[in-house]
mmCIF file with all atom_site columns, all heavy atoms in Angstrom:
data_model
loop_
_atom_site.group_PDB
_atom_site.id
_atom_site.type_symbol
_atom_site.label_atom_id
_atom_site.label_alt_id
_atom_site.label_comp_id
_atom_site.label_asym_id
_atom_site.label_entity_id
_atom_site.label_seq_id
_atom_site.pdbx_PDB_ins_code
_atom_site.Cartn_x
_atom_site.Cartn_y
_atom_site.Cartn_z
_atom_site.occupancy
_atom_site.B_iso_or_equiv
_atom_site.pdbx_formal_charge
_atom_site.auth_seq_id
_atom_site.auth_comp_id
_atom_site.auth_asym_id
_atom_site.auth_atom_id
_atom_site.pdbx_PDB_model_num
ATOM 1   N N   . THR P 1 10  ? -4.842  -16.722 -18.300 1.00 92.00 ? 10  THR P N   1
ATOM 2   C CA  . THR P 1 10  ? -5.829  -16.772 -17.220 1.00 92.00 ? 10  THR P CA  1
ATOM 3   C C   . THR P 1 10  ? -5.678  -15.551 -16.314 1.00 92.00 ? 10  THR P C   1
ATOM 4   O O   . THR P 1 10  ? -6.662  -15.003 -15.836 1.00 92.00 ? 10  THR P O   1
ATOM 5   C CB  . THR P 1 10  ? -5.733  -18.066 -16.373 1.00 92.00 ? 10  THR P CB  1
ATOM 6   O OG1 . THR P 1 10  ? -4.364  -18.348 -16.109 1.00 92.00 ? 10  THR P OG1 1
ATOM 7   C CG2 . THR P 1 10  ? -6.363  -19.238 -17.084 1.00 92.00 ? 10  THR P CG2 1
ATOM 8   N N   . ALA P 1 18  ? -12.538 -9.371  -12.915 1.00 94.00 ? 18  ALA P N   1
ATOM 9   C CA  . ALA P 1 18  ? -12.601 -8.755  -11.587 1.00 94.00 ? 18  ALA P CA  1
ATOM 10  C C   . ALA P 1 18  ? -12.936 -7.271  -11.686 1.00 94.00 ? 18  ALA P C   1
ATOM 11  O O   . ALA P 1 18  ? -13.730 -6.745  -10.904 1.00 94.00 ? 18  ALA P O   1
ATOM 12  C CB  . ALA P 1 18  ? -11.280 -8.958  -10.850 1.00 94.00 ? 18  ALA P CB  1
ATOM 13  N N   . LEU P 1 37  ? -26.207 -5.334  -10.103 1.00 82.00 ? 37  LEU P N   1
ATOM 14  C CA  . LEU P 1 37  ? -25.734 -6.010  -8.901  1.00 82.00 ? 37  LEU P CA  1
ATOM 15  C C   . LEU P 1 37  ? -25.690 -7.521  -9.098  1.00 82.00 ? 37  LEU P C   1
ATOM 16  O O   . LEU P 1 37  ? -24.695 -8.171  -8.783  1.00 82.00 ? 37  LEU P O   1
ATOM 17  C CB  . LEU P 1 37  ? -26.676 -5.705  -7.730  1.00 82.00 ? 37  LEU P CB  1
ATOM 18  C CG  . LEU P 1 37  ? -26.140 -4.767  -6.675  1.00 82.00 ? 37  LEU P CG  1
ATOM 19  C CD1 . LEU P 1 37  ? -27.154 -4.616  -5.554  1.00 82.00 ? 37  LEU P CD1 1
ATOM 20  C CD2 . LEU P 1 37  ? -24.821 -5.283  -6.119  1.00 82.00 ? 37  LEU P CD2 1
ATOM 21  N N   . GLY P 1 44  ? -18.605 -12.539 -9.955  1.00 89.00 ? 44  GLY P N   1
ATOM 22  C CA  . GLY P 1 44  ? -17.775 -12.940 -8.826  1.00 89.00 ? 44  GLY P CA  1
ATOM 23  C C   . GLY P 1 44  ? -17.499 -14.430 -8.801  1.00 89.00 ? 44  GLY P C   1
ATOM 24  O O   . GLY P 1 44  ? -16.384 -14.859 -8.508  1.00 89.00 ? 44  GLY P O   1
ATOM 25  N N   . HIS P 1 46  ? -17.280 -16.334 -11.323 1.00 90.00 ? 46  HIS P N   1
ATOM 26  C CA  . HIS P 1 46  ? -16.311 -16.641 -12.376 1.00 90.00 ? 46  HIS P CA  1
ATOM 27  C C   . HIS P 1 46  ? -14.924 -16.142 -12.010 1.00 90.00 ? 46  HIS P C   1
ATOM 28  O O   . HIS P 1 46  ? -13.928 -16.785 -12.331 1.00 90.00 ? 46  HIS P O   1
ATOM 29  C CB  . HIS P 1 46  ? -16.764 -16.021 -13.695 1.00 90.00 ? 46  HIS P CB  1
ATOM 30  C CG  . HIS P 1 46  ? -18.087 -16.543 -14.145 1.00 90.00 ? 46  HIS P CG  1
ATOM 31  N ND1 . HIS P 1 46  ? -18.295 -17.868 -14.435 1.00 90.00 ? 46  HIS P ND1 1
ATOM 32  C CD2 . HIS P 1 46  ? -19.278 -15.941 -14.313 1.00 90.00 ? 46  HIS P CD2 1
ATOM 33  C CE1 . HIS P 1 46  ? -19.564 -18.039 -14.769 1.00 90.00 ? 46  HIS P CE1 1
ATOM 34  N NE2 . HIS P 1 46  ? -20.185 -16.888 -14.692 1.00 90.00 ? 46  HIS P NE2 1
ATOM 35  N N   . VAL P 1 47  ? -14.872 -15.002 -11.316 1.00 92.00 ? 47  VAL P N   1
ATOM 36  C CA  . VAL P 1 47  ? -13.573 -14.510 -10.846 1.00 92.00 ? 47  VAL P CA  1
ATOM 37  C C   . VAL P 1 47  ? -12.932 -15.561 -9.948  1.00 92.00 ? 47  VAL P C   1
ATOM 38  O O   . VAL P 1 47  ? -11.751 -15.883 -10.072 1.00 92.00 ? 47  VAL P O   1
ATOM 39  C CB  . VAL P 1 47  ? -13.715 -13.185 -10.067 1.00 92.00 ? 47  VAL P CB  1
ATOM 40  C CG1 . VAL P 1 47  ? -12.391 -12.779 -9.438  1.00 92.00 ? 47  VAL P CG1 1
ATOM 41  C CG2 . VAL P 1 47  ? -14.201 -12.082 -10.995 1.00 92.00 ? 47  VAL P CG2 1
ATOM 42  N N   . VAL P 1 60  ? 1.591   -25.335 -10.431 1.00 88.00 ? 60  VAL P N   1
ATOM 43  C CA  . VAL P 1 60  ? 2.261   -26.321 -11.294 1.00 88.00 ? 60  VAL P CA  1
ATOM 44  C C   . VAL P 1 60  ? 3.679   -25.849 -11.609 1.00 88.00 ? 60  VAL P C   1
ATOM 45  O O   . VAL P 1 60  ? 4.637   -26.620 -11.578 1.00 88.00 ? 60  VAL P O   1
ATOM 46  C CB  . VAL P 1 60  ? 1.471   -26.525 -12.609 1.00 88.00 ? 60  VAL P CB  1
ATOM 47  C CG1 . VAL P 1 60  ? 2.308   -27.276 -13.628 1.00 88.00 ? 60  VAL P CG1 1
ATOM 48  C CG2 . VAL P 1 60  ? 0.191   -27.284 -12.333 1.00 88.00 ? 60  VAL P CG2 1
ATOM 49  N N   . ILE P 1 95  ? -28.891 -19.869 -11.177 1.00 85.00 ? 95  ILE P N   1
ATOM 50  C CA  . ILE P 1 95  ? -29.639 -19.193 -12.248 1.00 85.00 ? 95  ILE P CA  1
ATOM 51  C C   . ILE P 1 95  ? -31.007 -19.844 -12.408 1.00 85.00 ? 95  ILE P C   1
ATOM 52  O O   . ILE P 1 95  ? -32.025 -19.180 -12.557 1.00 85.00 ? 95  ILE P O   1
ATOM 53  C CB  . ILE P 1 95  ? -28.883 -19.266 -13.590 1.00 85.00 ? 95  ILE P CB  1
ATOM 54  C CG1 . ILE P 1 95  ? -27.586 -18.469 -13.507 1.00 85.00 ? 95  ILE P CG1 1
ATOM 55  C CG2 . ILE P 1 95  ? -29.749 -18.722 -14.727 1.00 85.00 ? 95  ILE P CG2 1
ATOM 56  C CD1 . ILE P 1 95  ? -26.733 -18.592 -14.742 1.00 85.00 ? 95  ILE P CD1 1
ATOM 57  N N   . ARG P 1 102 ? -38.814 -16.321 -10.467 1.00 78.00 ? 102 ARG P N   1
ATOM 58  C CA  . ARG P 1 102 ? -39.401 -15.218 -11.220 1.00 78.00 ? 102 ARG P CA  1
ATOM 59  C C   . ARG P 1 102 ? -40.731 -15.601 -11.860 1.00 78.00 ? 102 ARG P C   1
ATOM 60  O O   . ARG P 1 102 ? -41.546 -14.751 -12.166 1.00 78.00 ? 102 ARG P O   1
ATOM 61  C CB  . ARG P 1 102 ? -38.425 -14.737 -12.301 1.00 78.00 ? 102 ARG P CB  1
ATOM 62  C CG  . ARG P 1 102 ? -37.917 -13.345 -12.002 1.00 78.00 ? 102 ARG P CG  1
ATOM 63  C CD  . ARG P 1 102 ? -36.973 -12.862 -13.057 1.00 78.00 ? 102 ARG P CD  1
ATOM 64  N NE  . ARG P 1 102 ? -35.644 -13.427 -12.853 1.00 78.00 ? 102 ARG P NE  1
ATOM 65  C CZ  . ARG P 1 102 ? -34.716 -13.491 -13.804 1.00 78.00 ? 102 ARG P CZ  1
ATOM 66  N NH1 . ARG P 1 102 ? -34.987 -13.071 -15.027 1.00 78.00 ? 102 ARG P NH1 1
ATOM 67  N NH2 . ARG P 1 102 ? -33.531 -13.987 -13.542 1.00 78.00 ? 102 ARG P NH2 1
ATOM 68  N N   . ILE P 1 103 ? -40.912 -16.912 -12.112 1.00 76.00 ? 103 ILE P N   1
ATOM 69  C CA  . ILE P 1 103 ? -42.195 -17.350 -12.662 1.00 76.00 ? 103 ILE P CA  1
ATOM 70  C C   . ILE P 1 103 ? -43.296 -17.106 -11.631 1.00 76.00 ? 103 ILE P C   1
ATOM 71  O O   . ILE P 1 103 ? -44.378 -16.659 -11.957 1.00 76.00 ? 103 ILE P O   1
ATOM 72  C CB  . ILE P 1 103 ? -42.145 -18.854 -13.048 1.00 76.00 ? 103 ILE P CB  1
ATOM 73  C CG1 . ILE P 1 103 ? -41.169 -19.051 -14.209 1.00 76.00 ? 103 ILE P CG1 1
ATOM 74  C CG2 . ILE P 1 103 ? -43.532 -19.362 -13.432 1.00 76.00 ? 103 ILE P CG2 1
ATOM 75  C CD1 . ILE P 1 103 ? -40.977 -20.495 -14.613 1.00 76.00 ? 103 ILE P CD1 1
ATOM 76  N N   . PRO P 1 106 ? -43.226 -12.455 -10.622 1.00 69.00 ? 106 PRO P N   1
ATOM 77  C CA  . PRO P 1 106 ? -42.559 -11.674 -11.660 1.00 69.00 ? 106 PRO P CA  1
ATOM 78  C C   . PRO P 1 106 ? -42.178 -10.306 -11.110 1.00 69.00 ? 106 PRO P C   1
ATOM 79  O O   . PRO P 1 106 ? -42.963 -9.685  -10.393 1.00 69.00 ? 106 PRO P O   1
ATOM 80  C CB  . PRO P 1 106 ? -43.633 -11.531 -12.746 1.00 69.00 ? 106 PRO P CB  1
ATOM 81  C CG  . PRO P 1 106 ? -44.778 -12.351 -12.332 1.00 69.00 ? 106 PRO P CG  1
ATOM 82  C CD  . PRO P 1 106 ? -44.605 -12.783 -10.922 1.00 69.00 ? 106 PRO P CD  1
ATOM 83  N N   . GLU P 1 113 ? -31.980 -0.804  -19.053 1.00 80.00 ? 113 GLU P N   1
ATOM 84  C CA  . GLU P 1 113 ? -30.799 -0.910  -18.211 1.00 80.00 ? 113 GLU P CA  1
ATOM 85  C C   . GLU P 1 113 ? -30.315 -2.356  -18.144 1.00 80.00 ? 113 GLU P C   1
ATOM 86  O O   . GLU P 1 113 ? -29.127 -2.638  -18.274 1.00 80.00 ? 113 GLU P O   1
ATOM 87  C CB  . GLU P 1 113 ? -31.152 -0.405  -16.831 1.00 80.00 ? 113 GLU P CB  1
ATOM 88  C CG  . GLU P 1 113 ? -30.082 -0.619  -15.827 1.00 80.00 ? 113 GLU P CG  1
ATOM 89  C CD  . GLU P 1 113 ? -30.681 -0.834  -14.460 1.00 80.00 ? 113 GLU P CD  1
ATOM 90  O OE1 . GLU P 1 113 ? -31.007 -1.979  -14.128 1.00 80.00 ? 113 GLU P OE1 1
ATOM 91  O OE2 . GLU P 1 113 ? -30.815 0.147   -13.740 1.00 80.00 ? 113 GLU P OE2 1
ATOM 92  N N   . VAL P 1 123 ? -19.745 -8.505  -23.874 1.00 93.00 ? 123 VAL P N   1
ATOM 93  C CA  . VAL P 1 123 ? -18.512 -7.992  -24.476 1.00 93.00 ? 123 VAL P CA  1
ATOM 94  C C   . VAL P 1 123 ? -17.292 -8.464  -23.686 1.00 93.00 ? 123 VAL P C   1
ATOM 95  O O   . VAL P 1 123 ? -16.324 -8.970  -24.246 1.00 93.00 ? 123 VAL P O   1
ATOM 96  C CB  . VAL P 1 123 ? -18.548 -6.442  -24.545 1.00 93.00 ? 123 VAL P CB  1
ATOM 97  C CG1 . VAL P 1 123 ? -17.184 -5.888  -24.915 1.00 93.00 ? 123 VAL P CG1 1
ATOM 98  C CG2 . VAL P 1 123 ? -19.593 -6.000  -25.563 1.00 93.00 ? 123 VAL P CG2 1
ATOM 99  N N   . VAL P 1 126 ? -16.830 -12.269 -24.180 1.00 92.00 ? 126 VAL P N   1
ATOM 100 C CA  . VAL P 1 126 ? -16.350 -12.634 -25.516 1.00 92.00 ? 126 VAL P CA  1
ATOM 101 C C   . VAL P 1 126 ? -14.863 -12.300 -25.635 1.00 92.00 ? 126 VAL P C   1
ATOM 102 O O   . VAL P 1 126 ? -14.070 -13.089 -26.149 1.00 92.00 ? 126 VAL P O   1
ATOM 103 C CB  . VAL P 1 126 ? -17.187 -11.936 -26.616 1.00 92.00 ? 126 VAL P CB  1
ATOM 104 C CG1 . VAL P 1 126 ? -16.517 -12.062 -27.970 1.00 92.00 ? 126 VAL P CG1 1
ATOM 105 C CG2 . VAL P 1 126 ? -18.582 -12.555 -26.670 1.00 92.00 ? 126 VAL P CG2 1
ATOM 106 N N   . HIS P 1 138 ? -3.228  -28.632 -26.803 1.00 71.00 ? 138 HIS P N   1
ATOM 107 C CA  . HIS P 1 138 ? -2.590  -28.082 -25.606 1.00 71.00 ? 138 HIS P CA  1
ATOM 108 C C   . HIS P 1 138 ? -3.595  -27.914 -24.473 1.00 71.00 ? 138 HIS P C   1
ATOM 109 O O   . HIS P 1 138 ? -3.321  -27.252 -23.491 1.00 71.00 ? 138 HIS P O   1
ATOM 110 C CB  . HIS P 1 138 ? -1.944  -26.725 -25.899 1.00 71.00 ? 138 HIS P CB  1
ATOM 111 C CG  . HIS P 1 138 ? -0.764  -26.840 -26.793 1.00 71.00 ? 138 HIS P CG  1
ATOM 112 N ND1 . HIS P 1 138 ? -0.246  -25.771 -27.475 1.00 71.00 ? 138 HIS P ND1 1
ATOM 113 C CD2 . HIS P 1 138 ? -0.015  -27.914 -27.135 1.00 71.00 ? 138 HIS P CD2 1
ATOM 114 C CE1 . HIS P 1 138 ? 0.788   -26.175 -28.198 1.00 71.00 ? 138 HIS P CE1 1
ATOM 115 N NE2 . HIS P 1 138 ? 0.942   -27.475 -28.012 1.00 71.00 ? 138 HIS P NE2 1
ATOM 116 N N   . ALA P 1 154 ? -21.008 -15.753 -21.009 1.00 89.00 ? 154 ALA P N   1
ATOM 117 C CA  . ALA P 1 154 ? -21.392 -15.124 -22.272 1.00 89.00 ? 154 ALA P CA  1
ATOM 118 C C   . ALA P 1 154 ? -22.777 -15.629 -22.687 1.00 89.00 ? 154 ALA P C   1
ATOM 119 O O   . ALA P 1 154 ? -23.615 -14.879 -23.159 1.00 89.00 ? 154 ALA P O   1
ATOM 120 C CB  . ALA P 1 154 ? -20.365 -15.436 -23.357 1.00 89.00 ? 154 ALA P CB  1
ATOM 121 N N   . ILE P 1 161 ? -29.974 -10.909 -23.101 1.00 86.00 ? 161 ILE P N   1
ATOM 122 C CA  . ILE P 1 161 ? -30.210 -9.871  -24.113 1.00 86.00 ? 161 ILE P CA  1
ATOM 123 C C   . ILE P 1 161 ? -31.401 -10.259 -24.989 1.00 86.00 ? 161 ILE P C   1
ATOM 124 O O   . ILE P 1 161 ? -32.326 -9.480  -25.189 1.00 86.00 ? 161 ILE P O   1
ATOM 125 C CB  . ILE P 1 161 ? -28.959 -9.667  -24.999 1.00 86.00 ? 161 ILE P CB  1
ATOM 126 C CG1 . ILE P 1 161 ? -27.813 -9.075  -24.162 1.00 86.00 ? 161 ILE P CG1 1
ATOM 127 C CG2 . ILE P 1 161 ? -29.270 -8.736  -26.172 1.00 86.00 ? 161 ILE P CG2 1
ATOM 128 C CD1 . ILE P 1 161 ? -26.462 -9.100  -24.856 1.00 86.00 ? 161 ILE P CD1 1
ATOM 129 N N   . ASP P 1 204 ? -7.133  -41.567 -12.298 1.00 83.00 ? 204 ASP P N   1
ATOM 130 C CA  . ASP P 1 204 ? -6.321  -42.356 -13.227 1.00 83.00 ? 204 ASP P CA  1
ATOM 131 C C   . ASP P 1 204 ? -7.165  -43.280 -14.086 1.00 83.00 ? 204 ASP P C   1
ATOM 132 O O   . ASP P 1 204 ? -6.798  -44.430 -14.316 1.00 83.00 ? 204 ASP P O   1
ATOM 133 C CB  . ASP P 1 204 ? -5.287  -43.208 -12.465 1.00 83.00 ? 204 ASP P CB  1
ATOM 134 C CG  . ASP P 1 204 ? -4.120  -42.347 -12.057 1.00 83.00 ? 204 ASP P CG  1
ATOM 135 O OD1 . ASP P 1 204 ? -3.767  -41.446 -12.836 1.00 83.00 ? 204 ASP P OD1 1
ATOM 136 O OD2 . ASP P 1 204 ? -3.586  -42.549 -10.959 1.00 83.00 ? 204 ASP P OD2 1
#
Side-chain angles (χ1 to χ4, degrees):
T10 43
L37 252 183
H46 299 298
V47 173
V60 167
I95 294 175
R102 248 181 280 160
I103 294 176
E113 173 211 87
V123 169
V126 168
H138 291 162
I161 293 168
D204 281 324

